[in-house]
Amino acid sequence: LLFFLLQHGVVLVSTSNRAPHELHAGGVVPSSSRVFSSFLTDRCDVKTLHSADYRRQLAEQDAGGAEEQCYFTPLGNAARVAMEERWCTYGGGSVEAPAEVEAVLPELTTFGRRVDVDRISPCGRACWFDFDDLCGSRAARGPADYLTIAKHFECVFIANVPELALSMSSRNEARRLIWFIDAAYESRTKIVVS
C-alpha cells in the first residue's frame, strides 16, 4: 500500500519509535524488509526527534521530585514485599498493620459485562491484579475493559508479570499488556509492576 501511495504522490507523515532501517528487525522476510526500508529512506525525509521522557518527568512531579519505584524485579520474595509496601501507601497502613477497611467498588461494566478486580485499596484509588487475571491466560479482556479500569483507578498494581518471550505462546498476553499500558497512559493512571 505504501509503495503504491508514495509512487502516486501521496504525502506521508508518520511517527515511529524506530528508524526505518530498524522497523522490521528480526522480521520473517528480511529481504523484503530491506527493500521496504530502503524505499522509505529514498522517498521520505526522515527526521529524528530527541526529547525527554515526559512520563518519567510526570512521575517525578507526582512523587514530589523523588520518583517512586514502580518496577520490582526479579520476581520473588523481595519483589512481593516491596509491592505490598507500596500497596499499603494507598491504604494508609503498613505491611505490619494494614488498614482494615476495604473500599466498596461500584460495579464496573463494559458493554454489559462485569469487570472484576482482584483487590481494591481501602481508599478506593488503587487496585491490584495478578498478571494472569489482567492480561494472562485467565484473562478474557480487551481494550474497553482496560480503559474502564484505567479511568476508575489512579494506580494499578500488576503482580507476577512473566518474561514475555518473542514467541507465539505469549503473543496474546503481550498484546493485552500493551493495550492496558496504552489505556493507563491515556488516563494518566500510574502502574506498579513486579
Side-chain angles (χ1 to χ4, degrees), residues 37 77 92 102 131 166 168 180 193:
S37 64
N77 192 48
E102 184 80 11
F131 177 81
L166 296 174
M168 294 302 284
F180 177 74
V193 179

Side-chain angles (χ1 to χ4, degrees), residues 66-113:
E67 185 180 355
E68 296 174 338
Q69 188 172 354
C70 294
Y71 305 101
F72 300 99
T73 185
L75 290 178
N77 192 48
R80 186 189 58 73
V81 169
M83 285 277 286
E84 288 291 344
E85 287 173 356
R86 278 297 304 279
W87 175 255
C88 288
T89 64
Y90 281 89
S94 66
V95 174
E96 296 79 28
E100 296 295 322
V101 181
E102 184 80 11
V104 177
L105 175 68
E107 189 169 305
L108 298 178
T109 58
T110 302
F111 301 118
R113 288 182 296 108

Side-chain angles (χ1 to χ4, degrees), residues 12-14 20 40-48:
L12 170 71
V13 178
S14 177
L40 279 181
T41 53
D42 291 346
R43 298 280 181 136
C44 300
D45 290 331
V46 177
K47 305 289 183 194
T48 302

Side-chain angles (χ1 to χ4, degrees), residues 2-164:
L2 284 177
F3 285 122
F4 177 80
L5 292 174
L6 291 173
Q7 287 173 342
H8 288 83
V10 170
V11 175
L12 170 71
V13 178
S14 177
T15 62
S16 174
N17 290 336
R18 297 174 185 239
H21 67 278
E22 297 174 337
L23 284 174
H24 293 287
V28 178
V29 186
S31 59
S32 64
S33 297
R34 282 190 295 276
V35 170
F36 177 70
S37 64
S38 295
F39 181 79
L40 279 181
T41 53
D42 291 346
R43 298 280 181 136
C44 300
D45 290 331
V46 177
K47 305 289 183 194
T48 302
L49 302 177
H50 299 283
S51 65
D53 185 345
Y54 295 105
R55 293 169 290 190
R56 182 176 296 277
Q57 289 177 355
L58 287 172
E60 289 172 0
Q61 287 172 358
D62 291 344
E67 185 180 355
E68 296 174 338
Q69 188 172 354
C70 294
Y71 305 101
F72 300 99
T73 185
L75 290 178
N77 192 48
R80 186 189 58 73
V81 169
M83 285 277 286
E84 288 291 344
E85 287 173 356
R86 278 297 304 279
W87 175 255
C88 288
T89 64
Y90 281 89
S94 66
V95 174
E96 296 79 28
E100 296 295 322
V101 181
E102 184 80 11
V104 177
L105 175 68
E107 189 169 305
L108 298 178
T109 58
T110 302
F111 301 118
R113 288 182 296 108
R114 201 169 92 201
V115 178
D116 293 322
V117 178
D118 291 355
R119 288 167 66 184
I120 303 164
S121 67
C123 64
R125 297 183 341 230
C127 66
W128 178 294
F129 287 94
D130 187 81
F131 177 81
D132 271 347
D133 294 331
L134 184 67
C135 303
S137 59
R138 295 191 302 254
R141 300 183 195 269
D145 299 298
Y146 298 133
L147 278 171
T148 298
I149 293 165
K151 286 180 180 178
H152 189 80
F153 297 101
E154 81 176 37
C155 186
V156 176
F157 287 70
I158 309 171
N160 303 313
V161 177
E163 182 175 326
L164 297 171

